mmCIF file of all heavy atoms in Angstrom:
data_model
loop_
_atom_site.group_PDB
_atom_site.id
_atom_site.type_symbol
_atom_site.label_atom_id
_atom_site.label_comp_id
_atom_site.label_asym_id
_atom_site.label_seq_id
_atom_site.Cartn_x
_atom_site.Cartn_y
_atom_site.Cartn_z
ATOM 1 N N CYS H 1 -3.464 1.239 -5.119
ATOM 2 C CA CYS H 1 -2.768 0.677 -6.277
ATOM 3 C C CYS H 1 -1.793 -0.409 -5.828
ATOM 4 O O CYS H 1 -1.183 -0.326 -4.758
ATOM 5 C CB CYS H 1 -2.052 1.769 -7.066
ATOM 6 S SG CYS H 1 -0.632 2.506 -6.242
ATOM 7 N N ALA H 2 -1.664 -1.432 -6.683
ATOM 8 C CA ALA H 2 -0.807 -2.570 -6.348
ATOM 9 C C ALA H 2 0.225 -2.836 -7.442
ATOM 10 O O ALA H 2 0.809 -3.916 -7.506
ATOM 11 C CB ALA H 2 -1.668 -3.812 -6.115
ATOM 12 N N HIS H 3 0.450 -1.865 -8.316
ATOM 13 C CA HIS H 3 1.361 -2.053 -9.435
ATOM 14 C C HIS H 3 2.480 -1.012 -9.420
ATOM 15 O O HIS H 3 2.344 0.054 -8.829
ATOM 16 C CB HIS H 3 0.594 -1.946 -10.764
ATOM 17 C CG HIS H 3 0.033 -0.572 -11.010
ATOM 18 N ND1 HIS H 3 -1.132 -0.130 -10.440
ATOM 19 C CD2 HIS H 3 0.499 0.467 -11.759
ATOM 20 C CE1 HIS H 3 -1.372 1.109 -10.820
ATOM 21 N NE2 HIS H 3 -0.393 1.495 -11.620
ATOM 22 N N TYR H 4 3.566 -1.354 -10.063
ATOM 23 C CA TYR H 4 4.667 -0.409 -10.246
ATOM 24 C C TYR H 4 4.399 0.428 -11.490
ATOM 25 O O TYR H 4 4.194 -0.107 -12.582
ATOM 26 C CB TYR H 4 6.000 -1.142 -10.389
ATOM 27 C CG TYR H 4 6.564 -1.661 -9.090
ATOM 28 C CD1 TYR H 4 6.191 -2.902 -8.599
ATOM 29 C CD2 TYR H 4 7.447 -0.884 -8.348
ATOM 30 C CE1 TYR H 4 6.694 -3.382 -7.403
ATOM 31 C CE2 TYR H 4 7.965 -1.354 -7.151
ATOM 32 C CZ TYR H 4 7.584 -2.600 -6.675
ATOM 33 O OH TYR H 4 8.083 -3.062 -5.479
ATOM 34 N N GLY H 5 4.381 1.739 -11.316
ATOM 35 C CA GLY H 5 4.233 2.657 -12.430
ATOM 36 C C GLY H 5 5.364 3.656 -12.345
ATOM 37 O O GLY H 5 6.538 3.292 -12.268
ATOM 38 N N LEU H 6 5.025 4.956 -12.346
ATOM 39 C CA LEU H 6 6.047 5.982 -12.136
ATOM 40 C C LEU H 6 6.516 5.977 -10.686
ATOM 41 O O LEU H 6 7.595 6.495 -10.370
ATOM 42 C CB LEU H 6 5.491 7.361 -12.505
ATOM 43 C CG LEU H 6 5.139 7.560 -13.983
ATOM 44 C CD1 LEU H 6 4.539 8.932 -14.208
ATOM 45 C CD2 LEU H 6 6.370 7.378 -14.869
ATOM 46 N N THR H 7 5.686 5.391 -9.800
ATOM 47 C CA THR H 7 6.032 5.271 -8.375
ATOM 48 C C THR H 7 5.736 3.835 -7.935
ATOM 49 O O THR H 7 4.950 3.131 -8.566
ATOM 50 C CB THR H 7 5.205 6.252 -7.522
ATOM 51 O OG1 THR H 7 3.808 6.029 -7.779
ATOM 52 C CG2 THR H 7 5.542 7.697 -7.851
ATOM 53 N N PRO H 8 6.350 3.390 -6.817
ATOM 54 C CA PRO H 8 6.048 2.048 -6.301
ATOM 55 C C PRO H 8 4.586 1.962 -5.855
ATOM 56 O O PRO H 8 3.945 2.983 -5.606
ATOM 57 C CB PRO H 8 7.004 1.905 -5.103
ATOM 58 C CG PRO H 8 8.065 2.928 -5.325
ATOM 59 C CD PRO H 8 7.401 4.056 -6.049
ATOM 60 N N PRO H 9 4.036 0.746 -5.721
ATOM 61 C CA PRO H 9 2.635 0.600 -5.326
ATOM 62 C C PRO H 9 2.372 1.052 -3.902
ATOM 63 O O PRO H 9 3.210 0.866 -3.012
ATOM 64 C CB PRO H 9 2.375 -0.900 -5.485
ATOM 65 C CG PRO H 9 3.708 -1.543 -5.453
ATOM 66 C CD PRO H 9 4.678 -0.555 -6.011
ATOM 67 N N CYS H 10 1.186 1.634 -3.691
ATOM 68 C CA CYS H 10 0.807 2.089 -2.347
ATOM 69 C C CYS H 10 0.679 0.914 -1.383
ATOM 70 O O CYS H 10 0.897 1.067 -0.178
ATOM 71 C CB CYS H 10 -0.514 2.855 -2.413
ATOM 72 S SG CYS H 10 -0.373 4.467 -3.219
ATOM 73 N N THR H 11 0.311 -0.270 -1.894
ATOM 74 C CA THR H 11 0.168 -1.428 -1.014
ATOM 75 C C THR H 11 1.482 -1.755 -0.304
ATOM 76 O O THR H 11 1.481 -2.161 0.856
ATOM 77 C CB THR H 11 -0.306 -2.650 -1.819
ATOM 78 O OG1 THR H 11 0.505 -2.800 -2.984
ATOM 79 C CG2 THR H 11 -1.769 -2.504 -2.223
ATOM 80 N N ASN H 12 2.616 -1.575 -0.975
ATOM 81 C CA ASN H 12 3.921 -1.816 -0.344
ATOM 82 C C ASN H 12 4.157 -0.864 0.816
ATOM 83 O O ASN H 12 4.640 -1.257 1.889
ATOM 84 C CB ASN H 12 5.047 -1.659 -1.367
ATOM 85 C CG ASN H 12 5.100 -2.796 -2.355
ATOM 86 O OD1 ASN H 12 4.164 -3.591 -2.435
ATOM 87 N ND2 ASN H 12 6.164 -2.877 -3.135
ATOM 88 N N PHE H 13 3.826 0.404 0.604
ATOM 89 C CA PHE H 13 4.033 1.425 1.641
ATOM 90 C C PHE H 13 3.101 1.166 2.832
ATOM 91 O O PHE H 13 3.488 1.352 3.981
ATOM 92 C CB PHE H 13 3.778 2.806 1.040
ATOM 93 C CG PHE H 13 4.470 3.930 1.769
ATOM 94 C CD1 PHE H 13 5.689 3.752 2.384
ATOM 95 C CD2 PHE H 13 3.887 5.190 1.828
ATOM 96 C CE1 PHE H 13 6.324 4.795 3.053
ATOM 97 C CE2 PHE H 13 4.501 6.242 2.484
ATOM 98 C CZ PHE H 13 5.733 6.034 3.094
ATOM 99 N N ILE H 14 1.891 0.725 2.548
ATOM 100 C CA ILE H 14 0.916 0.419 3.602
ATOM 101 C C ILE H 14 1.442 -0.715 4.486
ATOM 102 O O ILE H 14 1.369 -0.652 5.722
ATOM 103 C CB ILE H 14 -0.446 0.048 2.973
ATOM 104 C CG1 ILE H 14 -1.093 1.295 2.340
ATOM 105 C CG2 ILE H 14 -1.389 -0.553 4.018
ATOM 106 C CD1 ILE H 14 -2.297 0.993 1.447
ATOM 107 N N LYS H 15 1.982 -1.758 3.856
ATOM 108 C CA LYS H 15 2.551 -2.883 4.624
ATOM 109 C C LYS H 15 3.753 -2.429 5.453
ATOM 110 O O LYS H 15 3.880 -2.790 6.627
ATOM 111 C CB LYS H 15 2.972 -3.996 3.669
ATOM 112 C CG LYS H 15 1.820 -4.817 3.102
ATOM 113 C CD LYS H 15 2.322 -5.911 2.186
ATOM 114 C CE LYS H 15 3.083 -6.989 2.948
ATOM 115 N NZ LYS H 15 3.480 -8.113 2.051
ATOM 116 N N LYS H 16 4.608 -1.645 4.835
ATOM 117 C CA LYS H 16 5.825 -1.182 5.511
ATOM 118 C C LYS H 16 5.504 -0.363 6.758
ATOM 119 O O LYS H 16 6.203 -0.446 7.772
ATOM 120 C CB LYS H 16 6.658 -0.345 4.534
ATOM 121 C CG LYS H 16 7.958 0.188 5.111
ATOM 122 C CD LYS H 16 8.699 1.017 4.072
ATOM 123 C CE LYS H 16 9.983 1.607 4.665
ATOM 124 N NZ LYS H 16 10.696 2.449 3.668
ATOM 125 N N LYS H 17 4.443 0.423 6.716
ATOM 126 C CA LYS H 17 4.082 1.294 7.838
ATOM 127 C C LYS H 17 3.288 0.558 8.929
ATOM 128 O O LYS H 17 2.964 1.146 9.955
ATOM 129 C CB LYS H 17 3.264 2.480 7.333
ATOM 130 C CG LYS H 17 4.075 3.485 6.522
ATOM 131 C CD LYS H 17 5.036 4.265 7.407
ATOM 132 C CE LYS H 17 5.741 5.368 6.648
ATOM 133 N NZ LYS H 17 6.552 6.237 7.536
ATOM 134 N N GLY H 18 2.942 -0.696 8.686
ATOM 135 C CA GLY H 18 2.291 -1.484 9.730
ATOM 136 C C GLY H 18 0.821 -1.201 9.933
ATOM 137 O O GLY H 18 0.300 -1.379 11.043
ATOM 138 N N ILE H 19 0.122 -0.786 8.871
ATOM 139 C CA ILE H 19 -1.326 -0.556 8.965
ATOM 140 C C ILE H 19 -2.032 -1.886 9.253
ATOM 141 O O ILE H 19 -1.793 -2.891 8.566
ATOM 142 C CB ILE H 19 -1.874 0.081 7.675
ATOM 143 C CG1 ILE H 19 -1.273 1.479 7.474
ATOM 144 C CG2 ILE H 19 -3.400 0.158 7.700
ATOM 145 C CD1 ILE H 19 -1.678 2.497 8.504
ATOM 146 N N LYS H 20 -2.894 -1.891 10.257
ATOM 147 C CA LYS H 20 -3.568 -3.126 10.677
ATOM 148 C C LYS H 20 -4.691 -3.523 9.732
ATOM 149 O O LYS H 20 -4.869 -4.705 9.422
ATOM 150 C CB LYS H 20 -4.127 -2.939 12.096
ATOM 151 C CG LYS H 20 -4.851 -4.169 12.648
ATOM 152 C CD LYS H 20 -5.309 -3.955 14.080
ATOM 153 C CE LYS H 20 -6.488 -2.990 14.141
ATOM 154 N NZ LYS H 20 -7.042 -2.895 15.520
ATOM 155 N N LYS H 21 -5.462 -2.528 9.250
ATOM 156 C CA LYS H 21 -6.619 -2.825 8.407
ATOM 157 C C LYS H 21 -6.852 -1.679 7.441
ATOM 158 O O LYS H 21 -6.764 -0.502 7.824
ATOM 159 C CB LYS H 21 -7.862 -3.040 9.269
ATOM 160 C CG LYS H 21 -9.048 -3.634 8.525
ATOM 161 C CD LYS H 21 -8.928 -5.148 8.377
ATOM 162 C CE LYS H 21 -10.193 -5.748 7.790
ATOM 163 N NZ LYS H 21 -10.111 -7.216 7.674
ATOM 164 N N VAL H 22 -7.166 -2.018 6.188
ATOM 165 C CA VAL H 22 -7.497 -1.014 5.169
ATOM 166 C C VAL H 22 -8.944 -1.226 4.748
ATOM 167 O O VAL H 22 -9.333 -2.330 4.345
ATOM 168 C CB VAL H 22 -6.581 -1.133 3.934
ATOM 169 C CG1 VAL H 22 -7.014 -0.150 2.846
ATOM 170 C CG2 VAL H 22 -5.132 -0.898 4.319
ATOM 171 N N TYR H 23 -9.746 -0.181 4.849
ATOM 172 C CA TYR H 23 -11.135 -0.207 4.379
ATOM 173 C C TYR H 23 -11.223 0.694 3.141
ATOM 174 O O TYR H 23 -10.819 1.854 3.187
ATOM 175 C CB TYR H 23 -12.080 0.311 5.460
ATOM 176 C CG TYR H 23 -12.073 -0.520 6.728
ATOM 177 C CD1 TYR H 23 -11.344 -0.112 7.840
ATOM 178 C CD2 TYR H 23 -12.794 -1.704 6.808
ATOM 179 C CE1 TYR H 23 -11.321 -0.865 9.005
ATOM 180 C CE2 TYR H 23 -12.787 -2.474 7.970
ATOM 181 C CZ TYR H 23 -12.051 -2.046 9.061
ATOM 182 O OH TYR H 23 -12.038 -2.802 10.212
ATOM 183 N N TYR H 24 -11.728 0.155 2.038
ATOM 184 C CA TYR H 24 -11.864 0.965 0.834
ATOM 185 C C TYR H 24 -13.278 0.819 0.284
ATOM 186 O O TYR H 24 -13.980 -0.158 0.568
ATOM 187 C CB TYR H 24 -10.818 0.579 -0.218
ATOM 188 C CG TYR H 24 -11.066 -0.726 -0.916
ATOM 189 C CD1 TYR H 24 -11.669 -0.766 -2.170
ATOM 190 C CD2 TYR H 24 -10.693 -1.937 -0.330
ATOM 191 C CE1 TYR H 24 -11.902 -1.958 -2.827
ATOM 192 C CE2 TYR H 24 -10.917 -3.146 -0.978
ATOM 193 C CZ TYR H 24 -11.520 -3.156 -2.223
ATOM 194 O OH TYR H 24 -11.754 -4.343 -2.867
#
């Protein structure tokens, strides 16, 4: 998810944690 709802977007947390690559 990339939108603000009841919680912040998961994309923000992924960037913050330094994930190199996301495969979906």
Side-chain angles (χ1 to χ4, degrees):
C1 69
H3 65 279
Y4 283 86
L6 295 177
T7 55
C10 289
T11 49
N12 288 13
F13 204 33
I14 290 168
K15 285 181 68 176
K16 180 181 178 182
K17 289 289 186 173
I19 296 294
K20 180 177 72 173
K21 192 81 173 182
V22 176
Y23 298 100
Y24 74 98

